[in-house]
Each structure stands twice: as structure tokens, then as C-alpha cells.
């Protein structure tokens, strides 16, 4: 495999790989408990394990299954560099999520633009451009502002209620007067990508 695991994560990655392969499956919460870390760190490890195809893909806290047996892992000395994943089976009902229909053109928000680019939800500001895979989004969080603050919409991949949402790259802000319109958009969008909408 030519996926490079950053050195600072290598020890945790190896430990995570050994755990899920020996156990046969895991969830981010189970891995976090095993590593003695938070779910955020465990989710990073899950992401690396998915990219290397050592485990099946999933969303949120769904169970991921090992794609290699403990015996085969031992045979390659438990080295990811020696791992060659078998081709992924193509499920009959598998399909890429097409989000272009719900967002055919760029939407202007406060200091940010929301659009679809190469299949990714893309949020662009003057300083940065953030691309989010639609299948990674688990919850679309909506927060209704008040007289002194704007409303926000966050495309969350971890399902955790945002703190200081306006400062996040996965969030757009908008005027309170169009909250219902944005809520309707979020509901349609969530239906297509099989995510939830939560108002907090």
C-alpha cells in the first residue's frame, strides 16, 4: 500500500490495526475505549484504516469489519506496507450519491459560498476551500440565531453538536429571516445523503 501514515499517528495506527483485526470488527467508540483516547482521535484512526482498506467503510459509530484475517496479518509481519487489499465486492444496490440535483448552482451565504465540485460538498471563503464527501456527513446541524447573532448550518461528519460553529470550516452562516427556507433545503439534502437534520 502506498498510503502514508504520519509518523505521529503510526504507533496508534498499528495498535488500532492489531485490535480490529484480532477482534474482527470495531466501532469508533470501542476503539476509543481500547486506545484510551477520545472518539475524535479514534475516528482519525478509523479513517486511516478505511483508506488502507484494512476495514470496511461505515458512517458515524457504525461497526467496521476487518478485511484481513489475523493469520494473514501475521504472515505479512503486521506491516501495512506489505498489505495488498483484495478487490472490494460491488454490492448490487451500491451507488454513488449524486448531489448535483439538490445543489445545481452556487449558493451565497455570509462570507462563504456553498456548491458541489467533483461530487464533494464544497464551502469556499476568501481564506480557504473545504471539500466534504457527502457519504461522510452524518448530521446537518441547524442553529437559529437571535437578534444579535446569525443562523448557521453545519455539515458534520462526527455527529457532535458544534461549538463556536461560525468559526468552523464545515459551517455556513445566514440571515435568520431565511431559516425556514434553509431548513427545508437541509431536510431534502439529508434525505439524499441519508443523514439527519438536528436543530439545536
Amino acid at each position: 500500500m502506498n498510503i502514508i501514515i504520519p509518523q505521529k499517528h503510526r504507533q496508534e495506527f498499528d495498535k488500532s490495526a492489531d485490535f480490529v483485526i484480532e477482534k474482527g470488527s470495531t466501532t469508533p467508540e470501542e476503539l476509543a475505549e481500547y486506545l484510551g483516547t477520545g472518539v475524535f482521535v479514534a475516528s482519525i484512526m478509523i479513517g486511516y484504516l478505511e483508506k488502507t482498506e484494512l476495514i470496511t467503510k461505515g458512517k458515524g459509530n457504525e461497526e467496521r469489519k476487518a478485511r484481513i484475517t489475523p493469520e494473514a496479518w501475521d504472515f505479512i509481519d503486521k506491516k501495512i506496507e506489505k498489505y495488498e487489499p483484495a478487490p472490494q465486492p460491488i454490492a448490487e444496490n451500491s451507488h454513488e450519491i449524486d448531489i448535483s440535483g439538490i445543489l445545481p448552482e452556487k449558493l451565497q451565504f455570509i462570507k462563504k459560498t456553498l456548491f458541489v465540485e467533483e461530487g464533494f460538498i464544497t464551502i469556499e471563503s476568501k481564506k480557504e476551500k473545504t471539500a466534504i464527501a457527502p457519504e461522510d456527513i452524518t448530521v446537518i446541524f441547524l442553529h437559529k440565531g437571535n437578534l444579535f447573532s446569525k443562523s448557521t448550518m453545519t455539515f458534520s461528519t462526527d455527529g457532535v453538536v458544534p461549538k463556536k460553529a461560525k468559526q468552523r470550516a464545515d459551517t455556513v452562516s445566514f440571515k435568520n429571516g431565511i431559516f425556514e427556507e434553509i431548513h427545508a433545503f437541509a431536510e431534502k439534502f439529508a434525505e439524499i445523503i441519508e443523514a439527519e437534520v438536528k436543530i439545536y
Side-chain angles (χ1 to χ4, degrees):
M1 288 294 292
N2 38 350
I3 298 249
I4 298 185
I5 311 298
Q7 203 54 46
K8 64 179 180 179
H9 292 316
R10 185 57 194 251
Q11 193 175 350
E12 277 178 325
F13 173 84
D14 289 342
K15 194 175 176 183
S16 301
D18 290 346
F19 172 71
V20 68
I21 291 166
E22 189 60 42
K23 188 172 175 288
S25 65
T26 194
T27 64
E29 284 182 3
E30 286 174 346
L31 184 58
E33 190 175 336
Y34 172 74
L35 293 173
T37 63
V39 176
F40 178 72
V41 173
S43 294
I44 292 173
M45 292 304 109
I46 290 286
Y48 282 126
L49 290 166
E50 288 180 341
K51 281 191 175 91
T52 55
E53 298 184 34
L54 274 174
I55 61 173
T56 57
K57 291 189 175 184
K59 290 172 72 172
N61 200 47
E62 288 176 354
E63 182 182 70
R64 274 73 159 182
K65 294 181 181 176
R67 298 191 64 230
I68 183 173
T69 64
E71 294 76 18
W73 188 233
D74 285 339
F75 183 75
I76 58 171
D77 303 319
K78 299 184 177 182
K79 300 283 186 193
I80 189 59
E81 292 79 7
K82 296 182 179 180
Y83 175 61
E84 286 299 329
Q88 292 268 23
I90 299 171
E92 287 181 17
N93 61 351
S94 71
H95 62 284
E96 283 191 15
I97 300 173
D98 183 10
I99 52 173
S100 56
I102 191 75
L103 198 56
E105 56 190 35
K106 293 185 176 184
L107 291 181
Q108 298 296 327
F109 288 86
I110 297 172
K111 295 182 180 177
K112 288 185 179 180
T113 306
L114 178 71
F115 56 98
V116 174
E117 186 174 63
E118 295 180 2
F120 288 89
I121 297 291
T122 305
I123 299 172
E124 188 174 40
S125 66
K126 284 184 179 177
K127 294 181 181 178
E128 62 186 352
K129 192 174 184 180
T130 303
I132 310 164
E135 61 269 21
D136 290 344
I137 298 167
T138 54
V139 182
I140 299 176
F141 285 106
L142 292 174
H143 179 69
K144 190 166 188 179
N146 52 41
L147 285 172
F148 307 103
S149 66
K150 304 298 182 189
S151 297
T152 59
M153 175 168 59
T154 301
F155 296 93
S156 173
T157 57
D158 59 15
V160 178
V161 174
K163 291 181 180 177
K164 297 183 179 178
K166 290 176 190 172
Q167 297 175 19
R168 292 171 52 133
D170 60 359
T171 299
V172 292
S173 301
F174 55 94
K175 293 178 180 177
N176 301 332
I178 61 168
F179 185 85
E180 292 308 321
E181 188 181 332
I182 297 299
H183 184 197
F185 165 79
E187 289 286 358
K188 285 181 187 174
F189 202 94
E191 188 178 346
I192 289 172
I193 65 174
E194 297 178 359
E196 290 182 84
V197 174
K198 290 185 180 176
I199 299 173
Y200 71 102

